[in-house]
Amino acid sequence: MKVFRGLLDQAKPHFTKGGKLEKFHYAYDAFETFLFVPGDTCTEGTHIKDGIDLKRTMFTVVFALLPCLLFGIWNVGHQHFAAAGEFPALAAGFVEKLLLGLTVVLPMVVVAYSVGLGIEFAFAIFRDHPVNEGFLVTGMLIPLIMPPTVPLWMVGLATAFAVVIGKEAFGGTGMNILNVALVARVFLFFAYPPYMAGDNVWISGDPSRFVDGYSGATPLAVAYSGGLAALDKSYSLETMFWGAIPGSIGETSVAAIGLGALILIGTGIGSWRIMLSVILGAAATGLLFQVTGIRPYSGVPPHYHLVMGSVLFAAVFMATDPVTAAQTQPGKYVYGLLIGISGMVIRVLNPAYPEGWMLAILLMNVFAPLIDHGFISANMKRRNARALQ
Amino acid sequence: MAQLVRDSAIIKLTHGLNLKLLGSAPSLRLALPPSATFALKPVDVLGLEPIPRMLHQVGDTVLAGDPIFASKATPEVIFSAPVSGEIVEVRRGAKRAITEIVIEAGRHVDFRSFPKPRLESRDAIRQILLASGAWALLRQRPFNTFADPAVTPRDIFISCFDSAPLAPDSGFVMQGREEAFLAGLRALGALTAGNVHLGVAPNSIELFSRAGGAKVHTFDGPHPAGTVGVQIHHIAPIAKGDVVWTIKPQDVAIIGTLVTDGIFDARRTVALTGPELTRTGYVETRLGAAVAPFLIGNLKSERVRLISGNVLTGKKVQPVGHLGQFDDQFTVIEEGDQPEFLGWLLPSYPRPTLSRTFLSYFLSKREFAVNSNPHGEQRALVMTGEYERVVPMDLYPQHLIKAILFRDYDQMEGLGIYEVVEEDLALCEFACTSKQPVQRILREGLDWIRGEA
């Protein structure tokens, strides 16, 4: 601790008024306030404040993402080896799978954080305000929603696009309308579609290594064409629950997502209302499709729908972003339900998009202010009615 | 046991937080040397000009109840001396605004005599309140300014319990002042066309329930259930154009003494509280007392913050300063001016919190030592639902704050800016993850709307 204080104090004169690096003051400030909560005191308003701050909040979300990250690292390795017929059993080759997964995922995490934080630092210096903590979570989310085979330069490009256009153009942390991580993904989805969808992108490694006939099809792809019958042949409910299936890096394991959800709800950081409504909306729509016998996904029951694809990851980590979600309490239920419904509609009925949550959440991000407006207006009407009494 | 009178069912409020801090005042009166000086603070009075009209000068000897200064815009509203003695200093702040008018107290208090009013006469009671300076004890909602004598209020509201952190126990404070309180209630009743409402806690003393013509409402819930703004919202909300008055129970007793005895006896029982005081308790003093006697041999360290009022809404004072116009509490906490290594990740000491990311949240019975460190820096608003958790009203506080920030007049009105003042939303400022200055923003909004009207 004294080491850090000493280093910081040595560097400080360069970054304060009159120092050579005065312009980069907020870059220094970001490191100083990361290591030490400043010894400021309340100058106005309340004389005491709650211990919670944005750094602790963001850290809690990153902590909740760790199960998905760790499982995802292992799963990337598992899919890689299983496709080539090596270590097909779950318990086999644990270390090899982990190491391979690290070589795929860790560079993505590094690229996302360096590009994103680099841009955030640049904007902070240019606009002369402190570096805000919002990207600490986005930088972890971006790799988790990417397929394992996406090239690193694409991750970097998408992060840059998302931070500049999706966030800083609106005014930075707290001002964005669209979920920043989803903007990154949707950018790649529309700019480089063959790298983001299809059967070939979910398993890392040279496809010529694959065992004959091994398909990298996700459960969604299988269920889309063959319905419940085909699904039961390839993936059991149990496998889909634990998550040893092809898919984006962090989204496959219901167990890992569930652990993350418990952390977010238990600490009060993530809105359980949004998570619950998304799941209910999706399940209800899935049930509707099942009983009406819609052709794709025919016969697939709602609980199967929930363990396939990215619906749970989206519900727990993406829809709950407080800045872009509905901000009124009743609004959160409406917002979540509409995400659940529209995401399922896109997944099942739309032939062009295999999965719907990225688009559903971005769409409802745009509608969130309108949803809130409805409830705010109702509040104002109630106030007027009380006044007339 | 006498039958307690309640005019309505208990109003249960769930949103809010009782901040349990170390250093509460036990129910005993401390024998402290009396304050040598007392001060009037024009800055405490909202709606007053920064430089009001001085009615006496430095060097004048005054009686308790003599007029000291008056509002220039509303000349009949005067502010009078809480003690007798000599005006020794007029302290000024930025742009020569008057911050304190300091009176050196005599050995005992000599009161100016006012003719006692014929009771129940609205004009006579108005007359004596204005002449004696006791009018200054009344505050007006919306905006929390001093009461405008030209307007008859729709109702008068008195909160008979203070739920703020370490606040004085109103039952103990009002001991021995029952007759004065009831006389004051009767006098106030003559001033309004509507009712006098008392907001009481479930375990309140019998005095408040006896009420004498006032309506009694019981509120059961955590802070801010004791703030009069929350109570007004649940009893008879303020609409655009409504004017209501608020006053604290001790000041009702001051008015009672005024109408029965004809003197302005500005007594205050003040609670000395806070983790950094060695001896806490109550002290019998007067409005605007110097805080120096509270500190003699009583501070645990030198790095302390002295607060006139409570930790949420109080004002910082210097050791040579005085209590605020309306304050009946004095709190001393530690200055939190030490940096904390990785403090946001690994807090090095327990602190009161609304966040379940801290173990402290689950230690709900524990009393906390607190300091003035904000535990983080100001950021844009990110989290939602935090403010609503501590506002027990049908109101969207975060949206109201945002409407004020972009000066949307219609939204501010529609979202209830007339219903709140700083103390009602102070817990939002405590709880805010983004450390936004909620009370300052609200005051700016209130002043802006008052200017626009």
Side-chain angles (χ1 to χ4, degrees), chain A residues 184-198:
Chain A
R185 190 176 205 281
V186 83
F187 168 79
L188 288 182
F189 185 80
F190 287 117
Y192 302 100
Y195 291 86
M196 299 298 286

Side-chain angles (χ1 to χ4, degrees), chain A residues 97-277:
Chain A
K97 290 173 184 173
L98 216 52
L99 285 176
L100 185 110
L102 278 170
T103 61
V104 171
V105 178
L106 211 53
M108 275 200 225
V109 173
V110 169
V111 166
Y113 271 111
S114 351
V115 171
L117 285 177
I119 296 178
E120 291 254 359
F121 270 70
F123 270 92
I125 291 162
F126 186 68
R127 285 184 178 160
D128 202 35
H129 66 64
V131 179
N132 279 308
E133 292 85 356
F135 194 77
L136 294 180
V137 169
T138 313
M140 182 59 78
L141 282 174
I142 289 178
L144 292 178
I145 55 178
M146 294 288 169
T149 55
V150 69
L152 282 179
W153 68 267
M154 278 193 201
V155 175
L157 187 62
T159 306
F161 178 85
V163 174
V164 175
I165 304 291
K167 190 159 117 165
E168 291 299 335
F170 288 96
T173 300
M175 312 291 182
N176 49 303
I177 300 179
L178 300 174
N179 187 309
V180 180
L182 285 177
V183 170
R185 190 176 205 281
V186 83
F187 168 79
L188 288 182
F189 185 80
F190 287 117
Y192 302 100
Y195 291 86
M196 299 298 286
D199 281 351
N200 302 321
V201 302
W202 306 108
I203 301 183
S204 76
D206 184 3
S208 61
R209 292 170 55 245
F210 290 5
V211 164
D212 274 337
Y214 192 95
S215 107
T218 61
L220 273 185
V222 171
Y224 183 84
S225 45
L228 186 61
L231 191 58
D232 279 337
K233 281 201 210 99
S234 321
Y235 296 108
S236 69
L237 193 61
E238 204 184 329
T239 315
M240 291 194 288
F241 177 84
W242 292 106
I245 55 178
S248 296
I249 294 173
E251 72 183 17
T252 55
S253 171
V254 177
I257 295 170
L259 202 54
L262 282 176
I263 293 171
L264 288 181
I265 295 175
T267 55
I269 300 288
S271 167
W272 60 265
R273 294 181 173 88
I274 295 178
M275 294 183 207
L276 185 66
S277 338

Side-chain angles (χ1 to χ4, degrees), chain B residues 232-254:
Chain B
I232 296 172
H233 177 86
H234 288 281
I235 299 169
I238 301 171
K240 180 173 181 176
D242 284 348
V243 169
V244 303
W245 290 350
T246 67
I247 185 171
K248 295 173 87 157
Q250 282 201 65
D251 298 348
V252 175
I254 295 176

Side-chain angles (χ1 to χ4, degrees), chain B residues 75 91 134 167 227 398 417 437:
Chain B
R91 293 182 184 154
T227 58
Q398 193 159 344
I417 196 172

